[in-house]
Amino acid sequence: MSDLVGTTALVRLALRRDRVLLPLWLAVFAVSAGSSASATVGLYPTESSRVEAAAGINGTPSLVALYGEIYDPTSIGALAMIKLGGLGGALVAVLATVVVVRHSRAEEEAGRLELLGSTVVGRSAPLAAAAVVAVLTNLALGLVTAVSLSAAGLPGPGSLAFGLAWAGTGIAFAAVAAVAAQLTTGARAATATTSAVLGLAYLLRAVGDTASPNGPRWASWLSPVGWGQQTRPFAGDRWWVLLLPVAFTLAVGAGAFVLAARRDLGAGLLADRPGASSAAPGLRSPLALAWRLHRTSLLGWAAGFVVLGLVFGNVASSIGSLLDSPQSQDLFRKLGGEKGLTDAFLATEVGFIGVFASVFGVQAAMRLRSEETALRAEP
């Protein structure tokens, strides 16, 4: 029997399970991109206003580290998509990670793949199905995003390049998640491992973009997030860069299948560390156990918000140079009240940060559910 037999049936099952989740996420990404483009077109109607805004962003290292560079200051599309190019690509990578882990390691951890394995399902079929769903999801995301940007008034070729850049980033990290699912023994560990790789990739992109001409500009080319931005949508549309995530996905994805063939069902290639034979005094209360379970993710989130605070504080100190046009000043005053452009900027950005912070609250609450489904809460 072929190792891939049953893949088609598992793909249909995965799409059936995600029939609400995936369309909702695709709509969120497409609407976010389209609304950002529409708002920027009206905010910077003249070429001179776009050049001023681009110069302000490119001249602020913290903004370049956070979002990336604007490669064509005269392009309304390049200016409109500067925030969503890097940060949006990272969020697409998170979606790809969730899809792959959900339909591979999470199913294995829950015991459902063992049940399916007793039927006519090949050994590699579950991983192949997860990969197919991730690829289809990212391609669909790229296409609907391109349509949304075109509908917002941006050039068609650049819109397609931007959508495919997002898709390439997501597919690349789907392959990383597939490898992480073979190395670890749990869905949380696989997701955390892939997230760590994503953080490193974003850091490499930031280092490369903020480096001097004689510095390590090459660091951006070591990052799948950097590849998406180096496609340069609306600023030259370098289509050949899209070959990099394709080659990366094929190589890393092939490695994932090799690793999958070398481990037992339910096991990971990285052995778990054995715990202590008895609990420490600090684990003798429910609160202590909760801290033990959440401390790693809490410290990680805290470190991320410290970095965001430093970045936004640096940007806020020079926000006046970024908002020289009367249209932009009027908009930000409306968003932040009458306390000035700096307060308006911080009010807007902290609103987004508040949404991001709520993710940790959701994760912490859902950990209760995972303890129940794993049958640890009952004893």
Side-chain angles (χ1 to χ4, degrees), residues 226-240:
W227 297 339
Q229 292 185 310
Q230 289 298 331
T231 306
R232 300 190 181 182
F234 310 105
D237 302 336
R238 301 199 295 186
W239 302 98
W240 62 269

Side-chain angles (χ1 to χ4, degrees), residues 9 133 137 157 160 218 351:
V133 172
T137 299
L160 181 59
W218 46 265

Side-chain angles (χ1 to χ4, degrees), residues 28-58:
V28 168
F29 278 108
V31 171
S32 298
S35 60
S36 178
S38 298
T40 308
V41 169
L43 190 61
Y44 300 100
T46 64
E47 183 175 309
S48 61
S49 63
R50 295 193 290 269
V51 171
E52 289 179 2
I57 293 175
N58 288 341

